[in-house]
Amino acid sequence: MNSPKNRPQNSWVPGAAGSSYDVDNLPYGVFTRDEEPPRVGVRIGDFVLDVAPVAAGEMLDSAHVFEATSLNPLMGLGRPAWHSVRSWLVSLLTEETERDLVEPNLVPVGDAQLQMPFEVADYVDFYCSLQHATNVGRIFRPDQEALKPNWRYLPVGYHGRAGTVVVSGTPVQRPSGQRVSTGSTTGPTYGSSERLDIEAELGFVVGVSTELGTQVPTSAFADHVFGVTLLNDWSARDIQSWEYVPLGPFLGKSFATTVSGWVTPLEALEAARVELPGQDPEPLHYLKVDEPAGYDVDLEVLLNGDVVSRPPYSAMYWSAAQMLAHLTVNGASLRTGDLFASGTVSGDEPAQRGSFLELSWGGEEPFGDGRTFLRDGDEVTLRASAPGALGGRIALGEVTGRIEPAR
Amino acid sequence: MNSPKNRPQNSWVPGAAGSSYDVDNLPYGVFTRDEEPPRVGVRIGDFVLDVAPVAAGEMLDSAHVFEATSLNPLMGLGRPAWHSVRSWLVSLLTEETERDLVEPNLVPVGDAQLQMPFEVADYVDFYCSLQHATNVGRIFRPDQEALKPNWRYLPVGYHGRAGTVVVSGTPVQRPSGQRVSTGSTTGPTYGSSERLDIEAELGFVVGVSTELGTQVPTSAFADHVFGVTLLNDWSARDIQSWEYVPLGPFLGKSFATTVSGWVTPLEALEAARVELPGQDPEPLHYLKVDEPAGYDVDLEVLLNGDVVSRPPYSAMYWSAAQMLAHLTVNGASLRTGDLFASGTVSGDEPAQRGSFLELSWGGEEPFGDGRTFLRDGDEVTLRASAPGALGGRIALGEVTGRIEPAR
């Protein structure tokens, strides 16, 4: 296996150099082509590298993980192996001498069908944007303090449904359930959600597990987290607002959560690290971070092809390292495939809000084409990019979903 | 495969006839003995039937599921197969002609180490006892209505952490985290929980999965649910009360949830079915039940060997069939291994309360030996029994756990 290059170098793959999928990105996914079984792929330019045959040909120790139908075996190898594999991929894709070996295993991205990239173990959703939490508090509880007393002391979170995390492109059926119409005085009725919404988030995917009783310090974040995915936490606001007291969101969220087909390795986001915007009061010791813990990732929310919001991840109050430290402070164990998400990303400006609830201020201030919540047939796409190590920007994998009518 | 017997008959297994583990019970578990790999066992009297060699010897179609290291393959077969397997087991264990075949595969229960019986997919915890919800509301929110407006309209629930569901006997480490001491005005501190509690519950284990977008009607409950487990939802009340607004319980619960090593097949509880105590208002259509949906299961909570409470499951307001219909009303899919729990079982009487929070009324009225919450070294055991088809009572598998000091 070749050693990593210190001098950044562009890829020889046609069209990759200088693109948002150059060798400073190299996200992992699981793909199928024709009738072949799913296996691991790496995105380079407009191609998917079919890693398994190359790894087998070079008799890589970890070759078997690329034949798997999910990223979990690769994710379970741990940080030194993640780094070695990435360095090897960079060599393959930058050194002209490797071209004859590699080129036959490049699949045009249009010929590859992306599958769910990893098996989700447990899914946790946090609530880490000060702006989002403040907006939601003002909208849902206008007569109270916007932030609950605990919000600035800990990253508030809850468990979501792992079994309904789906890959980008999966249609989203409008959910039905109990909801109370705005202004109703007659109790709940059954019906399909009238306030179907999105939440633009980042998701963090755990590779390295822990034993029950182990606390993961903020400093060990990168030893456990394999990578990052864009995530749409679809939300039925009318179902949620009726059900969520006192035990939190349940059916308002559990019908679907969409992740990108590409998982961006944490190492690819090294150049995107930034200081947090500031925390007051100072966090308790187990939540302290010693190094820049934020990520300068710019998100975009597109509704039927038009950008309706540009949420900046750099504005997030709580960092991912703090989420993980909090999640495990009680000794809860981690498993390969655990997914934890940031909560809606919202910035200071109205055009930086990551949910329709906020963009339409609870449905009272239509935006865009007179929009409040999602209509059947609407397609929502999340995109994101971040500074890469080669001086340009790397793209995170898109998340898209179209709303199907309730059955 | 033999047909089921209409005339109830006792087992020939020594000591089993008339015991709480006669052939009207036959719970499933996963066990190991010596250095052998884990496999499926069935409890009969004081023995574990090692099913795999018997099934292989008789060339049963489903023989492979008994060689598995979890019940999931058996659970995934579906209700007709569950019934056939059970009928076959009853024949084996009641007909003297089978004795020579079966007896060599009976393992004394003391020689078998029970493992986690199934792989948990998603774990949901409900809040279905009117008495428990009322008590908790009065204790936590004495200035408000005890029940939230939604409580009588839907079974309130939330997702818990599947990865920390452990089998009976697993030690429980006292969790640490942020909590606000009673009466404190200085904000949260970090430390180990001072209000560690139990919740005595039943858990329902899903065998048959569904596709995303499918609603499971109450009438299909027994087509999807394989069996029942006793469950202790360990709860750190001080962590929980600080963190739970507005997104629900998280670290106050996620450190451990203990289930019994034996899973009681739903069919074994047929004789225990009873009418619900009554629901007012009448449930919405998707929550209506046409047949007796309650279970006459009597629970016992033991603290260091002494019974401290006897919660009656027959008092539960919401039924398991309603929990499942509600869980899926938004189209959330089911997976084999999904576990959903009832929430704390509490009856009308003080001695029927299923949590220390209630037994000690928020820590203000010590009970038993002057007890409020759990001390290091305490051992809590849950037991339960129900009417069986042979006229006696069947036992549900015990759940036990000992509190270890915080690290």
Side-chain angles (χ1 to χ4, degrees):
Chain A
M1 192 174 281
N2 297 297
S3 63
K5 296 289 170 287
N6 289 323
R7 180 175 53 85
Q9 204 178 336
N10 294 110
S11 178
W12 53 256
V13 172
S19 79
S20 56
Y21 288 103
D22 201 346
V23 290
D24 54 348
N25 193 347
L26 300 181
Y28 293 95
V30 169
F31 76 104
T32 56
R33 183 172 50 160
D34 307 326
E35 302 294 300
E36 294 168 13
R39 57 196 183 278
V40 172
V42 170
R43 176 83 182 256
I44 178 73
D46 288 333
F47 296 91
V48 178
L49 172 62
D50 187 358
V51 189
V54 184
E58 298 217 340
M59 291 184 288
L60 213 65
D61 284 348
S62 53
H64 63 283
V65 304
F66 303 107
E67 292 165 10
T69 59
S70 84
L71 297 179
N72 292 49
L74 169 62
M75 300 196 311
L77 293 180
R79 190 177 181 186
W82 304 336
H83 180 70
S84 297
V85 167
R86 184 171 169 84
S87 301
W88 171 71
L89 289 168
V90 170
S91 299
L92 288 180
L93 295 165
T94 54
E95 296 178 12
E96 280 285 344
T97 52
E98 305 280 7
R99 188 158 178 164
D100 288 351
L101 172 76
V102 173
E103 202 150 25
N105 298 294
L106 291 177
V107 179
V109 74
D111 293 351
Q113 288 84 51
L114 290 181
Q115 310 294 309
M116 180 69 201
F118 56 97
E119 290 169 29
V120 184
D122 270 298
Y123 165 47
V124 168
D125 192 27
F126 284 96
Y127 192 51
C128 288
S129 162
L130 177 66
Q131 294 84 343
H132 172 69
T134 304
N135 290 337
V136 170
R138 286 190 183 138
I139 294 166
F140 277 165
R141 300 175 288 269
D143 52 334
Q144 299 173 31
E145 282 287 321
L147 288 184
K148 294 292 180 184
N150 57 15
W151 198 92
R152 285 176 176 272
Y153 289 93
L154 52 79
V156 172
Y158 66 100
H159 283 89
R161 191 163 185 81
T164 54
V165 178
V166 296
V167 71
S168 178
T170 307
V172 174
Q173 191 188 115
R174 183 180 296 273
S176 295
Q178 288 192 33
R179 68 277 190 285
V180 177
S181 301
T182 310
S184 165
T185 55
T186 56
T189 53
Y190 171 90
S192 59
S193 173
E194 293 167 353
R195 291 162 75 91
L196 186 56
D197 197 358
I198 63 143
E199 297 199 336
E201 310 192 8
L202 290 191
F204 298 85
V205 189
V206 170
V208 174
S209 61
T210 62
E211 295 290 321
L212 200 60
T214 307
Q215 297 178 330
V216 177
T218 57
S219 58
F221 172 70
D223 296 326
H224 290 275
V225 169
F226 172 78
V228 176
T229 172
L230 266 177
L231 184 146
N232 188 342
D233 173 27
W234 305 94
S235 299
R237 301 298 179 192
D238 41 2
I239 294 174
Q240 182 186 350
S241 62
W242 169 237
E243 75 180 354
Y244 87 107
V245 177
L247 300 186
F250 182 41
L251 301 185
K253 303 276 195 173
S254 66
F255 56 96
T257 304
T258 307
V259 295
S260 43
W262 297 114
V263 178
T264 307
L266 208 61
E267 201 173 333
L269 289 171
E270 198 56 33
R273 290 176 62 177
V274 290
E275 296 285 348
L276 297 177
Q279 301 186 314
D280 180 23
E282 199 175 328
L284 290 179
H285 74 280
Y286 77 93
L287 290 173
K288 285 205 165 73
V289 288
D290 292 331
E291 34 186 35
Y295 287 106
D296 180 20
V297 177
D298 288 341
L299 283 74
E300 284 183 340
V301 180
L302 292 89
L303 174 61
N304 301 322
D306 298 325
V307 175
V308 295
S309 176
R310 298 185 193 277
Y313 195 81
S314 60
M316 296 298 271
Y317 187 93
W318 292 106
S319 68
Q322 292 170 318
M323 296 178 216
L324 186 63
H326 187 63
L327 198 162
T328 59
V329 71
N330 68 346
S333 47
L334 298 176
R335 292 182 292 170
T336 300
D338 278 349
L339 169 67
F340 60 96
S342 61
T344 308
V345 183
S346 289
D348 290 325
E349 304 300 320
Q352 295 180 324
R353 293 171 180 160
S355 69
F356 284 23
L357 177 73
E358 294 163 87
L359 287 166
S360 72
W361 207 254
E364 294 185 2
E365 298 174 15
F367 65 99
D369 59 348
R371 171 72 47 169
T372 52
F373 293 97
L374 288 165
R375 299 172 191 150
D376 291 344
D378 275 349
E379 185 172 76
V380 175
T381 300
L382 308 181
R383 288 185 191 152
S385 68
L390 293 172
R393 292 189 77 80
I394 63 171
L396 280 76
E398 279 188 8
V399 167
T400 193
R402 184 182 290 274
I403 305 302
E404 294 190 338
R407 271 189 209 166
Chain B
M1 192 173 283
N2 298 300
S3 62
K5 298 287 170 289
N6 289 322
R7 182 174 52 85
Q9 204 176 337
N10 294 108
S11 178
W12 52 257
V13 173
S19 79
S20 57
Y21 288 104
D22 200 348
V23 291
D24 53 349
N25 193 348
L26 299 181
Y28 293 96
V30 170
F31 76 104
T32 55
R33 183 171 51 160
D34 306 325
E35 302 293 300
E36 294 168 12
R39 56 197 184 276
V40 172
V42 170
R43 175 83 183 255
I44 178 75
D46 288 332
F47 296 91
V48 178
L49 173 62
D50 186 358
V51 188
V54 184
E58 297 218 340
M59 291 185 289
L60 213 64
D61 285 348
S62 53
H64 63 284
V65 304
F66 302 108
E67 292 164 11
T69 59
S70 83
L71 298 179
N72 292 47
L74 169 62
M75 300 196 310
L77 293 179
R79 190 177 181 187
W82 304 335
H83 180 70
S84 297
V85 167
R86 184 171 169 85
S87 300
W88 171 71
L89 289 167
V90 169
S91 299
L92 288 180
L93 296 165
T94 54
E95 295 179 13
E96 281 284 346
T97 52
E98 305 279 7
R99 189 159 179 165
D100 288 350
L101 173 74
V102 172
E103 203 150 25
N105 299 293
L106 291 178
V107 179
V109 75
D111 293 350
Q113 288 84 50
L114 289 182
Q115 311 293 310
M116 180 68 202
F118 56 97
E119 290 170 28
V120 184
D122 271 299
Y123 165 47
V124 168
D125 191 29
F126 283 96
Y127 192 51
C128 289
S129 161
L130 177 65
Q131 293 84 344
H132 171 70
T134 304
N135 289 338
V136 170
R138 287 191 182 137
I139 293 167
F140 277 165
R141 300 175 288 269
D143 53 334
Q144 299 173 31
E145 282 286 321
L147 288 184
K148 294 292 179 183
N150 57 15
W151 199 91
R152 285 176 175 272
Y153 288 93
L154 52 79
V156 171
Y158 67 100
H159 283 88
R161 190 161 185 83
T164 54
V165 177
V166 297
V167 71
S168 178
T170 307
V172 174
Q173 190 188 114
R174 182 181 295 274
S176 295
Q178 288 192 33
R179 68 278 189 285
V180 177
S181 300
T182 311
S184 164
T185 55
T186 57
T189 53
Y190 172 88
S192 59
S193 174
E194 294 168 352
R195 291 162 73 91
L196 186 56
D197 197 359
I198 63 143
E199 297 199 336
E201 310 192 7
L202 289 192
F204 298 86
V205 189
V206 171
V208 174
S209 61
T210 62
E211 295 289 320
L212 199 59
T214 308
Q215 298 177 328
V216 176
T218 56
S219 58
F221 172 71
D223 296 326
H224 290 275
V225 170
F226 172 78
V228 175
T229 172
L230 265 178
L231 185 146
N232 188 343
D233 173 26
W234 305 93
S235 299
R237 300 299 179 192
D238 40 3
I239 295 174
Q240 183 185 348
S241 61
W242 169 236
E243 74 179 356
Y244 89 106
V245 176
L247 301 185
F250 182 39
L251 302 185
K253 303 277 195 172
S254 65
F255 57 96
T257 305
T258 308
V259 295
S260 45
W262 295 115
V263 178
T264 308
L266 208 61
E267 201 173 332
L269 289 170
E270 197 56 33
R273 290 175 63 177
V274 289
E275 297 285 348
L276 297 176
Q279 300 185 314
D280 180 20
E282 199 175 328
L284 290 178
H285 75 279
Y286 76 94
L287 291 172
K288 286 205 164 75
V289 288
D290 291 332
E291 35 186 37
Y295 287 105
D296 180 20
V297 177
D298 287 342
L299 283 74
E300 283 184 342
V301 180
L302 291 88
L303 174 62
N304 301 322
D306 297 326
V307 175
V308 295
S309 176
R310 299 184 192 277
Y313 195 81
S314 59
M316 296 297 273
Y317 187 93
W318 292 105
S319 67
Q322 291 171 317
M323 296 178 217
L324 186 63
H326 187 63
L327 198 162
T328 59
V329 70
N330 69 347
S333 46
L334 298 176
R335 292 182 291 170
T336 300
D338 278 348
L339 169 66
F340 61 97
S342 61
T344 309
V345 183
S346 290
D348 290 325
E349 304 300 322
Q352 296 181 324
R353 293 171 181 161
S355 69
F356 284 22
L357 177 73
E358 294 162 87
L359 287 166
S360 73
W361 206 255
E364 295 184 1
E365 299 174 14
F367 66 99
D369 58 350
R371 171 73 47 169
T372 52
F373 293 98
L374 288 166
R375 300 173 191 150
D376 292 344
D378 275 349
E379 185 171 78
V380 176
T381 299
L382 308 181
R383 288 185 190 151
S385 68
L390 293 173
R393 292 188 78 80
I394 63 171
L396 280 75
E398 279 188 8
V399 167
T400 193
R402 184 183 289 273
I403 304 302
E404 294 191 338
R407 273 191 207 169

